[in-house]
Every structure is written in structure tokens, then in C-alpha cells.
Amino acid sequence: MSENIAADQLRLLIERIERLEEEKKGIADDIADVYGEAKSTGFDVKTIRTIVRLRKMEKHHRDEADMLLETYKQALGLA
């Protein structure tokens, strides 16, 4: 009896994962479409991706990354 319950539970978990994977692929496709739309409108997709990544960061992490980038640029004579 408990083997049937465990097997049913395992099957349900796997089915949920499969559904979520399908949804994730759909969302990834939607995101790719938006980036494609941005590119066709004349926006630089690489820069947009950077902005999206920066907006996910907390301000103090973003400030730290900016400071490190500036320090490295100065060390390499790029500033």
C-alpha cells in the first residue's frame, strides 16, 4: 500500500516538474521575443541585458561592481 502511495507521489512530483519546465521554456521564448523586438526597434540588446542584470542587483552591490570596474579600468589605462 505505501509503495503505491510513494509511487503516486513520485509520479505527481515528476509531472509537476515537467509542467514547470514547459512553462519555463515558454517564458524564455517570450523573453527572447521581447529582446528580438527591442533589437528590431534599434535598441542594443547587449546593453539592455546589462541593464536588466543591474536592476536585479541591490544598490550596494551595484555600487561595489561600479567601483571595481572603475578601479580596473584605471589600472589598465582605460579611464
Side-chain angles (χ1 to χ4, degrees), residues 23-56:
E23 290 177 25
K24 183 170 76 170
K25 185 189 177 322
I27 290 171
D29 290 345
D30 291 346
I31 291 170
D33 290 345
V34 173
Y35 280 118
E37 181 181 338
K39 183 176 182 177
S40 70
T41 308
F43 291 105
D44 181 67
V45 173
K46 185 176 178 181
T47 303
I48 291 174
R49 288 183 188 277
T50 301
I51 295 295
V52 169
R53 188 178 69 250
L54 289 171
R55 287 173 53 112
K56 288 180 186 178

Side-chain angles (χ1 to χ4, degrees), residues 7-23:
D8 287 343
Q9 186 178 17
L10 177 60
R11 182 182 49 77
L12 290 172
L13 290 169
I14 290 171
E15 289 173 355
R16 282 177 52 201
I17 291 168
E18 289 171 341
R19 278 192 304 274
L20 290 169
E21 289 289 343
E22 287 177 21
E23 290 177 25

Side-chain angles (χ1 to χ4, degrees), residues 1-9:
M1 175 83 169
S2 67
E3 287 181 23
N4 280 346
I5 293 173
D8 287 343
Q9 186 178 17

